[in-house]
């Protein structure tokens, strides 16, 4: 994570905003077919559902975010930056992993990582209960 030289005003504003966040509606259900056979299901909050619950509390506390793309010679990175009206900021970078080089694959990876990066930066849980990736790894749950 990168930050401005000082984040003394940003941190209390983020704490106040987090106190006002409500849990985003898990508005999407997915069934995943595992390569080893079998399926598992989960629900999650889409990017627009996450933004809908954070935008008001962020703005009310002098905070805003951007998500921009940067590229070096090998890969794209998503940069999520939180700004405070004081001029202070903090940012995190997330690599984008795109298997195929199509616009749809890039767009899917970008939307996916925008949601994860924003949730991570703001401390928002947008997924079902965490099973420590046991279902995805085809481990048997008891």
């Amino acid at each position: 994570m990168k930050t401005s030289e000082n984040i003394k005003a940003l941190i209390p504003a983020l704490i106040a905003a987090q106190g006002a966040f409500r849990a985003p509606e898990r508005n999407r259900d997915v069934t995943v077919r595992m390569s080893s056979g079998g399926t598992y299901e989960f629900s999650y909050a889409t990017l627009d559902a996450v933004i809908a619950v954070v935008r008001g509390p962020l703005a009310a506390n002098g905070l805003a975010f951007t998500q921009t793309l940067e590229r070096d010679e090998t890969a794209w990175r998503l940069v999520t930056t939180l700004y405070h009206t004081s001029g202070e900021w903090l940012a995190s970078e997330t690599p984008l992993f795109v298997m195929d080089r199509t616009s749809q694959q890039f767009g899917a990876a970008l939307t996916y990582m925008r949601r994860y990066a924003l949730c991570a930066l703001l401390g928002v849980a947008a997924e079902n209960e965490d099973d420590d990736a046991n279902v995805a790894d085809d481990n048997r749950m008891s």
Side-chain angles (χ1 to χ4, degrees), residues 26-110:
R26 288 170 176 87
N27 59 342
R28 185 69 45 91
D29 297 318
V30 176
T31 300
V32 177
R33 292 189 184 126
M34 295 181 289
S35 58
S36 62
T39 62
Y40 67 97
E41 296 178 3
F42 67 95
S43 299
Y44 68 95
T46 57
L47 177 61
D48 59 324
V50 172
I51 291 172
V53 300
V54 302
R55 184 171 279 146
L58 289 175
N61 289 282
L63 296 164
F65 71 90
T66 60
Q67 293 186 294
T68 58
L69 290 171
E70 292 186 5
R71 181 165 172 77
D72 61 24
E73 53 281 341
T74 60
W76 286 97
R77 293 182 316 282
L78 174 67
V79 180
T80 304
T81 306
L82 183 66
Y83 298 96
H84 185 258
T85 54
S86 66
E88 297 171 5
W89 56 271
L90 60 88
S92 67
E93 293 185 4
T94 308
L96 293 178
F97 301 105
V98 182
M99 299 302 286
D100 297 325
R101 296 181 187 251
T102 67
S103 295
Q104 276 109 1
Q105 287 290 323
F106 186 83
L110 179 59

Side-chain angles (χ1 to χ4, degrees), residues 7-21 57-58 61 63 82 84 90 121-122:
I7 55 173
K8 289 181 183 178
L10 185 148
I11 295 302
L14 179 56
I15 291 168
Q18 285 178 329
F21 293 160
L58 289 175
N61 289 282
L63 296 164
L82 183 66
H84 185 258
L90 60 88
L121 187 70
L122 299 178

